[in-house]
Amino acid sequence: MPLDKIKYTDKKHILIVGKSEKERKDYVDDIIATTDKVVYRFERNLNDFDEYIEQVRNLFPFIPYNWNEQNPKKWTLNQIWDFHLDWTDDTFNILIILEEFDKIEDNWKTEIIRDYFTTTYDQEKARKSHLNFQLILTLPEENQLIKNVVSEFGKDVNEKRSEEQIIHGKLEVINLESE
C-alpha cells in the first residue's frame, strides 16, 4: 500500500471491504506497520455483543483488575460499553480495529458502529482539531451498514449537514476490489 494512501486514511475512520479475509487482514497490517497510534485490535469474527464486550473488557485499560471479585450489579455490560465510549472520547492517538465484523447481529453491529460515530461527532462540538481515536472496520462487503448507521444516527437540531453527509465525512470506504 502506498505510504501517502496510509497517511490520507489517518484522517478518517476506515471501512475495508472486498477480496478475501486474508487480503483485508494484510491491508490492515500494512496500516498498523506505519502508525504511531496505540493499537487496540479486537479478535476477528466476533459473533455477538457479549463477545464484543468481553473483548472490550480484555483490551482496554479502564476495567478494574479485580473484575471477577466485584459485585456483578456494580458493572453491567451497558456500563462497560459506556465506560469504553467515555474512554475513547478522552483518549488520544489510538487505533481501534474491528476485523470481519459481519457475524455480529445486524442491530448490534449498527449500534456499535453508530456509537463510535456519535462519539466522534460529539468531539466535533468541542471543536477538537483531530480525531481522538480512529476506527478501522473490515467486512467482506458493505451490506447496507452505512445506510443502517445513517438511519440510526442522531444529529443536533442545528446541524446543517445531513446524517449521510456527517457519516461520509468521517468514513473512508476502501474497496479492495477496485484498489
Side-chain angles (χ1 to χ4, degrees):
M1 174 187 336
L3 187 59
D4 59 334
K5 179 67 173 175
I6 294 170
K7 290 303 172 191
Y8 169 72
T9 58
D10 201 37
K11 306 292 183 211
K12 293 186 175 193
H13 302 300
I14 303 171
L15 171 59
I16 302 169
V17 298
K19 293 199 178 177
S20 71
E21 181 176 340
K22 181 184 179 335
E23 288 168 301
R24 289 187 297 274
K25 180 189 175 305
D26 290 346
Y27 197 90
V28 170
D29 289 344
D30 287 344
I31 293 172
I32 290 171
T34 64
T35 189
D36 61 351
K37 296 179 180 181
V38 177
V39 176
Y40 293 95
R41 194 173 196 168
F42 283 75
E43 288 182 14
R44 294 196 319 252
N45 296 305
L46 297 174
N47 289 305
D48 57 33
F49 185 71
D50 290 344
E51 281 185 14
Y52 175 82
I53 289 296
E54 186 63 25
Q55 280 288 294
V56 167
R57 189 170 74 81
N58 291 330
L59 287 174
F60 293 93
F62 58 83
I63 301 297
Y65 293 111
N66 60 347
W67 164 267
N68 293 327
E69 299 169 15
Q70 296 212 8
N71 180 349
K73 293 179 182 176
K74 186 175 180 183
W75 292 75
T76 66
L77 295 179
N78 287 336
Q79 284 176 308
I80 295 169
W81 179 235
D82 289 342
F83 294 151
H84 173 55
L85 291 177
D86 289 345
W87 184 79
T88 55
D89 191 37
D90 294 328
T91 305
F92 297 91
N93 211 31
I94 64 172
L95 175 60
I96 299 170
I97 301 172
L98 298 171
E99 294 175 280
E100 305 311 309
F101 204 58
D102 55 314
K103 292 186 176 156
I104 288 186
E105 310 91 49
D106 286 339
N107 60 331
W108 280 117
K109 184 182 344 176
T110 300
E111 178 66 17
I112 291 166
I113 303 307
R114 184 199 63 80
D115 281 342
Y116 278 118
F117 278 91
T118 299
T119 300
T120 57
Y121 175 67
D122 290 343
Q123 290 170 357
E124 286 179 13
K125 296 175 200 167
R127 301 184 191 271
K128 295 178 182 175
S129 61
H130 59 280
L131 287 174
N132 285 19
F133 66 91
Q134 182 182 21
L135 174 67
I136 295 179
L137 177 68
T138 68
L139 297 168
E141 52 190 36
E142 192 266 327
N143 278 344
Q144 304 289 323
L145 177 65
I146 296 170
K147 182 179 178 182
N148 293 342
V149 170
V150 165
S151 70
E152 297 292 321
F153 191 78
K155 65 177 187 164
D156 286 347
V157 287
N158 296 329
E159 177 66 60
K160 294 180 179 13
R161 298 173 292 175
S162 70
E163 288 88 348
E164 189 170 1
Q165 288 171 322
I166 293 167
I167 298 298
H168 285 290
K170 295 186 165 305
L171 181 67
E172 177 73 20
V173 178
I174 299 173
N175 187 338
L176 296 180
E177 303 293 342
S178 59
E179 283 286 311

